[in-house]
Amino acid sequence: MTANLALVLAGGGALGAYEAGVLEYALCDLGAELPGLRFNIFCGTSAGALNACSLAQHASEPALGARRLADYWRSLTPEQVLRVSRRELVTLVRLATARRASLARHDRPPGAAHPPVPGLFNTDPLRERMRVEISRARLRRGFESGALRGVALCATEVCTGRSVIFYETSEGVDYLAGRDPTKRARRVALDVDHALASASMPFLFATTQIDGICYTDGAVRQNTPLNPALRLGADRVLVVSVTPDPAVDARHARAGCRRNPYPGALFLLGKVVNVLLAQSLDYELNRIELYNRLIGGGSAIYGEGFLASLNTILAGHRNSVYRPVQTCHVRPSRSLHTLALEALRAAPRELRLPGPAGRLVTWLLGTELIAESELLSYLMFTPTFLHALVELGRSDAHAQREALARFFAEEQEPSS
């Protein structure tokens, strides 16, 4: 049997184009030299959830899926994602009084689900496009054929603040849910609504309602869903994230703060978003390596029965099956925010939204107030920036060609 190979994709709005570039190189260019290469576990958050679903539906033809995904990102324009009208602006202005008026009218039965919380942008164009790009029928066929072992998408439940993992598996595969009360795993028949729930960026996009419950962006609690991949039985995990090395990023961030003449609330919000996207991925990867060393060292000293004994001792504590897990991590070699600023200066006219309200938002996005905030890079769905992200992803994957080739080619016994 072959090992269970998982793909884990982080969230980050427009930065999802970077992931598409990495995977186009890995699965099309490098994959052409490695016939039989297949992922059977896909996990994603926010833009990474949309990417994961898109790739999962082509699990048996990974090169085709990667090529279609990269072409999709190259084809996007701002108005296809960031549509805004006077209605959206008025709705946001009235948010503070809408609840009071609703209570006064008693127009909602007690205990009934509240409507989705609105956002600045109308997401109908994105939803329409995603319903074409992501097919429930293709996902179902993947599970039925065995090409897919499991898919997990992370969202955040608005009312409770819990991280919710929507997952689906092929027959006979279990998701070993943990005991963390801040996380909840829900087995569902995955479709585009679950992916859009994961990608509902707070304040910017409306929340997504599923079964009467509102969900917002999964990045609020779990931006890089490495843990769900392990709980689906992954033996090898390729992680693609959208944040540079933390030490390098910290130096650039300090320099940027000193240069910024407008360190206001939006600047702070951009920094908070960065914290959510970074979270503790490097720590989690280091912890996997620690367990690998523990298992390897223990087996060398105490024999092959060490791992079975370890799992017996820890049974019931974390609802996990400990095993060696090989990881590979591809991340940006440079600041994507800097890349966004360069794209904005090179093609400022691309960041245009139609209509009076659209022109107002376009002006706001182009001001130094926003441009110096790292929010810009998450909302820059412009051709110049998206093409640059795809090419940087391809370049970074090429720079790790040897590591990726070893990762894909390495033979490992699968976990039971």
Side-chain angles (χ1 to χ4, degrees):
M1 294 177 63
T2 58
N4 293 317
L5 188 56
L7 177 63
V8 174
L9 301 176
L15 306 186
Y18 173 82
E19 298 172 346
V22 170
L23 295 166
E24 184 181 46
Y25 179 84
L27 299 179
C28 297
D29 298 56
L30 182 57
E33 304 171 17
L34 299 168
L37 169 64
R38 299 284 189 276
F39 288 100
N40 63 352
I41 297 173
F42 297 82
C43 300
T45 296
S46 195
L50 297 172
N51 287 345
C53 279
S54 179
L55 291 164
Q57 66 186 346
H58 298 292
S60 60
E61 299 177 285
L64 172 64
R67 191 175 299 111
R68 287 175 59 94
L69 181 65
D71 288 344
Y72 164 74
W73 280 101
R74 291 187 181 104
S75 72
L76 276 181
T77 57
E79 61 269 19
Q80 292 176 323
V81 182
L82 305 179
R83 185 176 298 178
V84 62
S85 66
R86 186 170 60 182
R87 183 185 66 181
E88 273 74 43
L89 293 178
V90 171
T91 298
L92 285 177
V93 170
R94 296 179 58 188
L95 275 178
T97 58
R99 178 176 180 271
R100 186 177 303 161
S102 176
L103 289 175
R105 293 194 305 268
H106 297 286
D107 56 358
R108 186 162 62 91
H114 60 71
V117 181
L120 174 61
F121 298 108
N122 180 343
T123 56
D124 288 345
L126 177 62
R127 289 176 182 274
E128 293 166 5
R129 181 77 179 266
M130 284 296 102
R131 292 191 190 283
V132 174
E133 296 292 330
I134 298 174
S135 165
R136 169 61 199 165
R138 285 195 292 265
L139 285 172
R140 184 180 65 250
R141 286 196 295 269
F143 287 114
E144 291 174 349
S145 69
L148 285 174
R149 176 182 174 88
V151 178
L153 312 176
C154 297
T156 304
E157 185 179 330
V158 173
C159 292
T160 66
R162 288 187 299 185
S163 178
V164 177
I165 300 96
F166 296 113
Y167 74 92
E168 185 173 3
T169 67
S170 59
E171 187 175 356
V173 175
D174 292 325
Y175 181 95
L176 299 179
R179 293 179 169 80
D180 185 344
T182 66
K183 296 178 182 177
R184 179 190 177 197
R186 285 190 56 192
R187 182 185 289 274
V188 297
L190 286 171
D191 62 23
V192 68
D193 285 335
H194 299 100
L196 289 168
S198 179
S200 298
M201 298 171 68
F203 310 113
L204 301 176
F205 296 166
T207 61
T208 299
Q209 193 172 73
I210 299 175
D211 298 330
I213 298 175
C214 283
Y215 296 93
T216 190
D217 203 304
V220 173
R221 296 301 300 266
Q222 190 171 192
N223 188 54
T224 310
L226 180 58
N227 186 260
L230 301 179
R231 294 189 174 280
L232 283 168
D235 302 294
R236 285 186 281 164
V237 184
L238 172 61
V239 180
V240 185
S241 62
V242 295
T243 52
D245 179 87
V248 176
D249 197 37
R251 290 196 295 271
H252 288 302
R254 289 194 187 97
C257 284
R258 294 187 182 110
R259 290 195 308 268
N260 192 342
Y262 302 104
L266 290 175
F267 168 79
L268 181 59
L269 180 59
K271 292 298 181 183
V272 170
V273 171
N274 271 358
V275 171
L276 294 176
L277 293 183
Q279 293 182 344
S280 58
L281 174 60
D282 290 273
Y283 173 77
E284 291 184 54
L285 290 170
N286 287 334
R287 188 167 61 178
I288 289 176
E289 180 57 29
L290 174 65
Y291 282 121
N292 287 342
R293 295 184 65 179
L294 172 66
I295 292 169
S299 298
I301 296 172
Y302 300 107
E304 295 182 0
F306 172 76
L307 182 55
S309 299
L310 179 66
N311 278 309
T312 299
I313 293 169
L314 297 178
H317 178 63
R318 293 190 64 196
N319 195 30
S320 297
V321 176
Y322 291 88
R323 60 196 180 277
V325 176
Q326 179 71 21
T327 63
C328 184
H329 182 197
V330 181
R331 71 188 332 156
S333 57
R334 57 171 303 193
S335 165
L336 300 187
H337 174 57
T338 301
L339 192 65
L341 290 175
E342 292 173 0
L344 181 62
R345 296 185 187 110
R349 293 181 178 274
E350 289 183 352
L351 191 61
R352 283 189 172 182
L353 300 176
R359 287 194 291 272
L360 174 61
V361 174
T362 299
W363 171 82
L364 184 62
L365 291 175
T367 63
E368 287 192 68
L369 186 67
I370 296 293
E372 291 298 333
S373 164
E374 310 216 9
L375 283 174
L376 176 70
S377 59
Y378 311 128
L379 300 175
M380 275 270 291
F381 293 91
T382 63
T384 296
F385 183 45
L386 296 178
H387 279 71
L389 286 169
V390 172
E391 290 310 307
L392 179 63
R394 290 182 54 85
S395 175
D396 287 345
H398 177 72
Q400 293 197 44
R401 178 185 177 86
E402 292 185 7
L404 284 166
R406 287 195 304 270
F407 171 78
F408 287 137
E410 184 171 347
E411 293 292 334
Q412 283 194 357
E413 290 295 324
S415 60
S416 58

